[in-house]
């Protein structure tokens, strides 16, 4: 394999940010093609970014023998079939969140990935922010101590213009509401730091917008390590913030509150004693900053393919995310506390309503 990975990007919304990130890694990636069913959009993006090939059809990319990676930035309802198509064509695949809408689909992707002998990397770019990476260092070095309680506030603002895009506001094409589309990043950050969830109780409601999907939620979690966590989510906040606050036996970690970069610096880490503060400061003096967001994730993907290790985000991580989503929707609809791991019951097929488009309230 070439040292440089030759990549095509499919979908020209957030896909434009993916292209920019690849272009910031010129020793690692060449963007050879851009694809969108709206071919005029693809042409404009290709022209601006200097990408040589344009297509309106993923099948054409799959037939290009000189491509190593196809990166899917398409609406969520397409992801499952498109990932299978890319792996079957013998390409590595990268795909935006939410990856798919059921544990059954993730498990089928794991089988397809193994059969293809290629890698499938879901996107969770918030992981690579320096603030969260510093917390991870303090946890991994044993400085943070035992986790007690973590709190997440995700308060964003989404109104009619956001839902004007045709694939939104549909269980089939968007896969879910704010839990699936937004809170999943914040939950991945929590699980990345603290580990998996053991138990969940969730309430989800549609309070802000005239839509079928949930736009507010309150979630109570017990983590596998025995610590507790809460998450509140709304799309009706006039002031947008995302905040993580994690309390450990040795320190409290507090993120900044910028809604879309709260995993980046600055975070504060306050020790329980002056001695612990000195240890925190000494540990963080050894922090080695790496690229953040998509660039950080793509750089580590390249390294994994070259050196044979695991990608920085794997299908197992996506399975954990899909499992917590399934558990939250199950809890909200049945008013029950849900334990993980989930059994292979009817929820194994996902949380999308099986008839029609699910009524007006997500519940
Ligand atoms: N990681 C993040 O922070 C982040 C941020 C925004 C969006 N996303 C995710 O990225 C995905 C795309 O969202 P978006 O906001 O860019 O949407 P978008 O509607 O702005 O862009 C999607 C593009 O895909 C194109 N498209 C649709 N079907 C296609 C197909 N079959 N083949 C090729 N192109 C097709 C559309 O024409 C459109 O240009 C979603 O899964 C979304 O949740 C992730």
């Amino acid at each position: 394999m070439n040292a440089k990975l030759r990549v095509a990007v499919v979908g020209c919304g957030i896909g434009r940010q993916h292209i920019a990130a690849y272009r910031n890694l010129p020793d690692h990636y060449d963007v050879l093609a851009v694809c969108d069913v709206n071919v005029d959009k693809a042409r404009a993006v290709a022209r601006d970014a200097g990408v040589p090939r344009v297509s309106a059809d993923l099948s054409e990319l799959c037939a290009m023998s000189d491509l190593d990676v196809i990166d899917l930035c398409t609406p969520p309802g397409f992801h499952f079939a498109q990932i299978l198509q890319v792996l079957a064509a013998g390409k590595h695949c990268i795909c935006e969140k939410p990856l798919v809408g059921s544990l059954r689909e993730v498990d089928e992707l794991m089988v397809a990935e193994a059969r293809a002998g290629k890698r499938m990397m879901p996107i969770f770019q918030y992981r690579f922010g320096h603030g969260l990476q510093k917390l991870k260092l303090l946890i991994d070095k044993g400085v943070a101590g035992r986790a007690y309680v973590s709190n997440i506030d995700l308060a964003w603002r989404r109104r009619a213009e956001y839902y004007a895009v045709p694939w939104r506001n549909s269980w089939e094409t968007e896969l879910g509401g704010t839990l699936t589309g937004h809170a999943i990043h914040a939950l991945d950050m929590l699980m990345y730091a603290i580990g998996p969830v053991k138990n969940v109780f969730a309430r989800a409601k549609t309070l802000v917008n005239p839509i079928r999907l949930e736009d507010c939620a309150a979630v109570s979690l017990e983590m596998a390590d025995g610590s507790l966590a809460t998450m509140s989510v709304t799309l009706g906040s006039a002031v947008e913030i995302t905040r993580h606050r994690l309390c450990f036996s040795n320190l409290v970690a507090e993120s900044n509150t910028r809604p879309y970069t709260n995993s980046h610096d600055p975070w504060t880490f306050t020790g329980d004693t002056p001695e612990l503060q000195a240890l925190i400061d000494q540990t963080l003096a050894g922090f080695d900053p790496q690229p953040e967001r998509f660039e950080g994730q793509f750089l580590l993907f390249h390294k994994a393919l070259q050196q044979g290790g695991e990608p920085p985000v794997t299908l197992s991580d996506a399975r954990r995310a899909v499992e917590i989503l399934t558990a939250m929707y199950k809890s909200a609809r049945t008013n029950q506390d849900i334990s993980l791991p989930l059994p292979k019951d009817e929820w194994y097929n996902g949380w999308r309503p099986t008839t029609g488009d699910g009524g007006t309230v997500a519940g």
Side-chain angles (χ1 to χ4, degrees), residues 139-322:
I139 293 171
D140 291 348
K141 295 271 184 202
V143 176
R146 194 154 60 88
Y148 292 151
V149 165
S150 307
N151 310 114
I152 303 171
D153 284 322
L154 191 141
W156 292 3
R157 187 178 186 283
R158 295 287 186 276
R159 297 293 156 84
E161 63 281 5
Y162 182 76
Y163 293 98
V165 178
W167 60 269
R168 295 201 192 279
N169 188 22
S170 153
W171 289 101
E172 279 313 305
T173 51
E174 195 172 3
L175 302 185
T178 190
L179 288 171
T180 305
H182 309 129
I184 199 58
H185 279 301
L187 279 171
D188 180 68
M189 285 171 60
L190 176 74
M191 294 189 291
Y192 178 64
I194 303 276
V197 171
K198 187 160 75 178
N199 225 281
V200 57
F201 188 91
R203 297 184 195 279
K205 288 196 166 191
T206 308
L207 299 176
V208 182
N209 292 289
I211 57 170
R212 300 180 186 91
L213 313 168
E214 82 283 355
D215 57 19
C216 292
V219 182
S220 165
L221 303 154
E222 185 184 4
M223 310 302 286
D225 70 357
S227 68
L228 302 175
T230 64
M231 177 175 73
S232 70
V233 187
T234 182
L235 296 185
S237 180
V239 176
E240 292 197 309
I241 66 158
T242 308
R243 170 172 34 219
H244 285 71
R245 189 176 196 282
L246 303 96
C247 186
F248 296 81
S249 51
N250 293 346
L251 61 84
V252 61
E254 297 181 85
S255 77
N256 77 72
T257 59
R258 291 190 307 267
Y260 307 111
T261 49
N262 92 303
S263 69
H264 293 211
D265 278 336
W267 280 44
T268 58
F269 301 97
T270 306
D272 198 51
T273 63
E275 294 73 26
L276 284 166
Q277 190 63 53
L279 181 60
I280 292 164
D281 295 343
Q282 183 195 330
T283 306
L284 293 183
F287 178 71
D288 176 22
Q290 296 295 314
E292 300 181 287
R293 286 178 62 77
F294 299 120
E295 241 173 275
Q297 186 166 350
F298 296 158
L299 189 61
L300 290 171
F301 185 63
H302 182 276
K303 185 175 171 193
L305 292 189
Q306 293 294 316
Q307 299 181 5
E310 282 294 289
V313 184
T314 63
L315 276 174
S316 298
D317 296 315
R319 195 181 197 287
R320 194 166 67 169
V322 169

Side-chain angles (χ1 to χ4, degrees), residues 67-114:
L67 277 181
D68 302 305
V69 182
I70 297 182
D71 177 351
L72 301 169
C73 301
T74 48
F78 292 112
H79 291 170
F80 178 62
Q82 290 183 333
I83 296 167
L84 288 177
Q85 188 180 352
V86 168
L87 290 173
K91 314 285 188 204
H92 300 292
C93 186
I94 295 174
C95 182
E96 264 294 352
K97 51 53 58 178
L99 193 70
V100 289
S102 73
L103 287 168
R104 179 185 297 284
E105 288 172 332
V106 187
D107 287 348
E108 287 184 25
L109 293 182
M110 286 177 165
V111 171
E113 184 192 42

